[in-house]
Amino acid sequence: QVQLVESGGGLVEAGGSLRLSCAASGRTFSNYGMGWFRQAPGKEREFVADISGSGFNTRYAESVKGRFTVSRDNAKNTVYLQMNSLKPEDTAVYYCAAQSPYHGVWTYDYDYWGQGTQVTVSS
């Protein structure tokens, strides 16, 4: 079992920044690829970004490329999502998730999920 707890969400104006954190416990953190997903009201949960266990490989949704950066600190069992130049359409509940091995970008590829943190971007 892997337990995931997100933090760092909040209310920010358009153009602003937030950094989300996801703390993991329960298994060897570096064995897991870590992903960030988001779900806006009335919409399906969608992929945002992910990072391999080593941190060498990352992937991003087209909608966030150049604005968001995913990173991890395996010594702290934590993955981060730095979000810059935020837009109102980034408003959603953001979830972190874990998969082993690192492979896909779909929700069904991931085995463990956090409870989510709300990000609201005002215009």
Side-chain angles (χ1 to χ4, degrees):
Q1 280 287 69
V2 176
Q3 292 79 42
L4 303 171
V5 179
E6 302 97 334
S7 60
L11 173 64
V12 64
E13 292 185 351
S17 297
L18 281 174
R19 189 176 82 154
L20 306 183
S21 300
C22 174
S25 61
R27 292 285 179 92
T28 304
F29 184 61
S30 59
N31 287 347
Y32 288 83
M34 299 297 297
W36 287 97
F37 290 75
R38 66 186 181 187
Q39 188 166 19
K43 294 188 176 182
E44 292 189 354
R45 194 169 297 188
E46 64 175 3
F47 171 79
V48 175
D50 70 7
I51 186 166
S52 62
S54 65
F56 289 152
N57 298 299
T58 58
R59 293 178 292 202
Y60 296 91
E62 285 298 322
S63 59
V64 307
K65 270 184 185 176
R67 299 189 298 124
F68 290 11
T69 302
V70 61
S71 62
R72 65 191 295 157
D73 185 339
N74 285 346
K76 295 182 178 180
N77 286 5
T78 302
V79 62
Y80 305 97
L81 185 67
Q82 177 67 44
M83 305 185 295
N84 299 329
S85 303
L86 282 160
K87 304 175 181 180
E89 50 263 44
D90 294 318
T91 295
V93 177
Y94 283 71
Y95 298 88
C96 75
Q99 62 176 220
S100 184
Y102 176 67
H103 58 286
V105 299
W106 304 104
T107 55
Y108 56 74
D109 290 316
Y110 282 81
D111 305 304
Y112 303 100
W113 293 84
Q115 83 290 347
T117 186
Q118 176 70 46
V119 171
T120 303
V121 185
S122 62
S123 56

